[in-house]
Amino acid sequence: MYTLLDGKAVSAKLRGQIKINVDKYKKATGNDIGLAVVMVGENPASAIYVRNKIKACEEVGIKSYAYYLKENTSQSDVENLVCCLAEDKKVNGILVQLPLPKHLNEEKILSLIPAVKDVDGFSLENTGKLCLGVNCLAACTPHGVMKILEEYKIDVKGKRAVVVGRSNIVGKPMAMLLLNADATVTVCHSRTQNLQEECKNADILVAAIGKPKFIKSQMIKDGAIVIDVGMNRDENGKLCGDVDFDNIKDKCSYITPVPGGVGPMTITMLMYNTLQSAERE
Ligand code: NDP
């Protein structure tokens, strides 16, 4: 019998704790905590993400500053805005919603966010610190996975963890967080040979691939803990993960559902990082 890892419940609990600490911070300093969100263009998916981030800010008492820039905004105008926000004392965190329109140099723009305000945890400094295992703002989605494991008292120490996916925003930071927590970590990707064998060795399997129901029952060890980061649409347009949930769940000791698993944690960890950012200052 498996236990469902309820990311929605973990997220709600954590938001409650964040709100308490945001209030404490405001009382102690007399200042608000501020998150600036910059969106360029009209990507409908990005618009939903930005709206949800602003809603989450309201929920936990963080002040949000939203900047909606036109699709054809120039590189220098976006850079100037990010530089102003970097200097702005009211702003503790800066988030540039990705993807940016093609004509903009994303790397250059992101590099202007100071590490202390890099609440997405994507900067060179935060990524480097994560690799060194020192205190940093960690990427929200993998950080959220660690919080779920922590909440369910799943000790990763000494366990064999396999991360499928090596993106800079999910797979790599996920592997680092697990390694820093003393798991023995293997990272797999599209060129991995014998993926099934690698996955079958996993006490903890994290799927961050972007392919609907890719992880099948024969890839799972009995009693494995399975974390599904994927957010895809199946053949009927229904939201589904990278894991074939219905077919593998009975082999697992713990498994995250999609929706309601890792997804709700990402924005919550953004709030968490923004609070951290303010507290560190
Ligand atoms: P990317 O496309 O950047 O990375 C996908 C990774 O999967 C790559 O490393 C790729 O390998 C690997 N991969 C692809 N095909 C295979 C295969 N056949 N076998 C083994 N590995 C494979 O995706 P992201 O990391 O950005 O996202 C992954 C998933 O997580 C997506 O479904 C995305 O929607 C979801 N996501 C969910 C979030 C949430 O809040 N829940 C947040 C962010 C992402 P290679 O490097 O060799 O190409």
Side-chain angles (χ1 to χ4, degrees):
M1 190 56 197
Y2 64 92
T3 299
L4 209 56
L5 297 170
D6 185 348
K8 224 169 144 184
V10 177
S11 167
K13 183 175 167 192
L14 192 53
R15 283 192 194 192
Q17 290 165 355
I18 294 170
K19 185 171 178 7
I20 291 169
N21 287 317
V22 168
D23 288 343
K24 271 191 197 155
Y25 175 92
K26 286 190 200 169
K27 275 206 188 100
T29 63
N31 295 324
D32 273 323
I33 295 178
L35 173 66
V37 183
V38 179
M39 179 172 157
V40 190
E42 279 150 22
N43 181 321
S46 294
I48 295 172
Y49 290 136
V50 166
R51 213 178 310 135
N52 288 338
K53 285 167 188 174
I54 291 170
K55 238 170 78 187
C57 282
E58 283 164 14
E59 196 184 321
V60 300
I62 289 176
K63 206 165 162 57
S64 61
Y65 303 93
Y67 297 86
Y68 296 100
L69 307 181
K70 289 207 180 89
E71 179 86 25
N72 61 359
T73 307
S74 68
Q75 176 77 19
S76 60
D77 283 351
V78 184
E79 286 184 12
N80 287 339
L81 173 62
V82 174
C83 288
C84 286
L85 295 171
E87 295 294 319
D88 190 338
K89 292 255 179 298
K90 298 191 299 300
V91 171
N92 302 95
I94 303 171
L95 182 145
V96 176
Q97 185 64 45
L98 302 179
L100 288 170
K102 292 266 180 294
H103 68 281
L104 295 174
N105 180 341
E106 197 169 284
E107 203 182 322
K108 175 79 201 297
I109 290 167
L110 294 182
S111 74
L112 299 171
I113 302 174
V116 283
K117 297 191 180 188
D118 164 40
V119 282
D120 258 337
F122 295 161
S123 67
L124 289 178
E125 188 173 329
N126 280 315
T127 307
K129 282 181 171 171
L130 182 64
C131 289
L132 296 177
V134 298
N135 212 346
C136 65
L137 295 169
C140 297
T141 302
H143 198 183
V145 170
M146 297 308 287
K147 283 282 172 198
I148 294 179
L149 294 171
E150 200 181 299
E151 185 62 28
Y152 281 84
K153 304 200 169 19
I154 297 170
D155 189 4
V156 306
K157 192 183 293 171
K159 292 209 168 66
R160 259 182 287 190
V162 174
V163 180
V164 190
R166 57 172 165 180
S167 71
N168 291 338
I169 62 167
V170 188
K172 282 181 196 159
M174 184 75 256
M176 282 302 155
L177 285 164
L178 287 163
L179 187 60
N180 292 345
D182 293 330
T184 301
V185 183
T186 302
V187 183
C188 299
H189 45 79
S190 66
R191 311 291 165 88
T192 297
Q193 295 188 359
N194 299 324
L195 182 66
Q196 180 167 321
E197 285 312 303
E198 298 290 352
C199 291
K200 257 208 118 139
N201 279 328
D203 302 313
I204 301 174
L205 180 71
V206 182
I209 309 162
K211 299 213 159 128
K213 303 181 190 177
F214 182 85
I215 301 288
K216 304 286 183 200
S217 169
Q218 62 272 23
M219 301 166 94
I220 303 290
K221 175 176 167 177
D222 280 328
I225 298 157
V226 175
I227 307 288
D228 191 351
V229 179
M231 284 206 305
N232 316 292
R233 298 276 162 194
D234 70 8
E235 60 281 7
N236 304 314
K238 215 176 129 211
L239 193 65
C240 73
D242 288 343
V243 159
D244 191 355
F245 183 91
D246 288 332
N247 288 315
I248 73 159
K249 62 182 190 306
D250 293 317
K251 279 182 109 175
C252 303
S253 54
Y254 294 90
I255 183 167
T256 57
V258 176
V262 177
M265 292 302 292
T266 299
I267 294 183
T268 299
M269 296 317 294
L270 177 69
M271 301 298 112
Y272 181 93
N273 278 353
T274 308
L275 170 65
Q276 292 260 300
S277 203
E279 287 177 342
R280 277 181 205 173
E281 221 167 273

